[in-house]
Amino acid sequence: MKELIDAVVDMMEDKAYELTRRYIDEGKAAEEIFSAYQAAMEQIGQRFEAGTYFVPELIMAGEMMKTGAEIIKPFLSQEDGRKETRKTGKFLLATVEGDIHDIGKDIVGMMMQVNGFEVMDLGVDVPAATIVAEARAFQPDIIGLSGLLTLAFDPMKKCVDHLTEAGLRADYKVIIGGAQMDRQVCGHIGADAFATDAMAGVNICKKWMGA
Ligand code: B1M
């Protein structure tokens, strides 16, 4: 996968998609190809921190990750072989206020659907009040909050606090996700669980639903 990782990190868009398609044709696991994109994002993030990449590279990386995920997506469901027709549960998903990262969120939404959840995705930069209002209307079993910025912690907490103030906290399980999440952050926010990768999140939600 090094060739694909390098192509993404070096912003060689066409080469990256060509390799993605070739690996799919060769029968490589979609999960493995997806992991290569994630590894590339990690390196791009490091270059951004080091000051050798800037926001345009982050934007480009985001586009490449999305296109790559689109190519891989149908094969994730097939390979999984667990595409369920039965509804596992209802899942309300949003990237919280102040945060516009949506690639991970979209992947979580997709994986939840593949695993039988009915998903309502509210998009990015969603205020706590909107999430609570939409929860009242959609009546999900689980509310999933995504955020990649440390600045997303407070809006996540605000959302859980809003649920508590509205007397709705016990009605929903709340899972938070994003690379920065850990047990301590989860405790601070008052969520029921956290996940740093999509499949871990899906497994927690399936367990909650007894699936
Ligand atoms: Co931004 N960015 N970014 N960025 N960006 C990060 C997150 C950063 C870590 C880069 C770095 O400095 N190393 C850093 C955050 C640092 C911090 O807060 N501690 C950062 C920064 C600083 C910023 C800006 C502030 C930059 C600026 O403007 N100066 C700015 C903020 C904008 C805002 O949100 N208000 C910004 C902007 C952007 C772009 C818009 C340009 C672009 C996003 C495009 C898009 O999403 N459409 C972007 C990108 C691409 C990145 C990196 C490079 C890649 C993110 C990504 O898509 N990863 C990122 C560096 C990195 O992640 N290492 C970085 C791939 C994706 C599949 O993984 O999103 O982690 P991820 O999702 C995973 C898990 O986290 C988990 O499952 C997913 C799949 O396995 N998961 C969940 C996610 N949500 C979940 C929810 C769940 C369960 C699991 O349940 C509900």
Side-chain angles (χ1 to χ4, degrees):
M1 290 290 154
K2 189 173 181 312
E3 210 182 343
L4 175 57
I5 296 173
D6 288 347
V8 177
V9 172
D10 294 337
M11 307 280 135
M12 295 167 75
E13 212 180 350
D14 292 342
K15 185 173 179 190
Y17 305 149
E18 194 190 302
L19 284 169
T20 305
R21 290 194 188 92
R22 194 203 302 163
Y23 292 159
I24 294 275
D25 290 345
E26 286 171 2
K28 287 204 165 56
E31 289 280 355
E32 197 189 336
I33 304 172
F34 177 68
S35 297
Y37 273 89
Q38 275 188 306
M41 293 295 138
E42 201 54 50
Q43 290 187 31
I44 290 163
Q46 284 162 5
R47 289 190 186 192
F48 177 73
E49 275 176 9
T52 53
Y53 272 7
F54 302 93
V55 173
E57 279 86 6
L58 288 188
I59 295 172
M60 180 85 174
E63 291 305 316
M64 290 175 79
M65 180 86 213
K66 278 194 172 181
T67 306
E70 279 304 314
I71 300 171
I72 299 165
K73 194 169 155 180
F75 301 93
L76 272 175
S77 352
Q78 273 174 23
E79 159 198 273
D80 209 337
R82 283 177 290 167
K83 192 162 186 151
E84 295 175 32
T85 46
R86 177 176 62 83
K87 198 172 84 178
T88 312
K90 289 171 82 174
F91 186 70
L92 183 70
L93 177 63
T95 298
V96 296
E97 189 166 20
D99 197 326
I100 60 166
H101 293 87
D102 66 355
I103 297 166
K105 169 187 71 62
D106 290 351
I107 289 163
V108 170
M110 179 182 88
M111 299 296 278
M112 293 294 285
Q113 273 174 351
V114 165
N115 282 278
F117 282 86
E118 181 184 346
V119 177
M120 176 185 263
D121 186 343
L122 302 178
V124 298
D125 191 17
V126 187
T130 306
I131 295 171
V132 174
E134 294 292 341
R136 281 183 193 274
F138 181 57
Q139 292 290 304
D141 300 289
I142 303 166
I143 298 176
L145 304 175
S146 181
L148 285 205
L149 302 173
T150 38
L151 284 173
F153 298 166
D154 282 346
M156 285 182 174
K157 180 165 168 35
K158 195 170 156 189
C159 185
V160 175
D161 290 348
H162 268 43
L163 287 173
T164 307
E165 284 154 20
L168 299 170
R169 182 64 186 88
D171 295 353
Y172 314 109
K173 287 282 193 187
V174 177
I175 180 167
I176 54 170
Q180 321 261 8
M181 301 303 155
D182 60 26
R183 193 172 299 281
Q184 201 182 347
V185 172
C186 185
H188 166 71
I189 288 166
D192 296 299
F194 73 96
T196 53
D197 75 80
M199 209 50 226
V202 169
N203 286 334
I204 291 168
C205 294
K206 284 179 81 174
K207 206 168 161 191
W208 281 339
M209 302 309 299

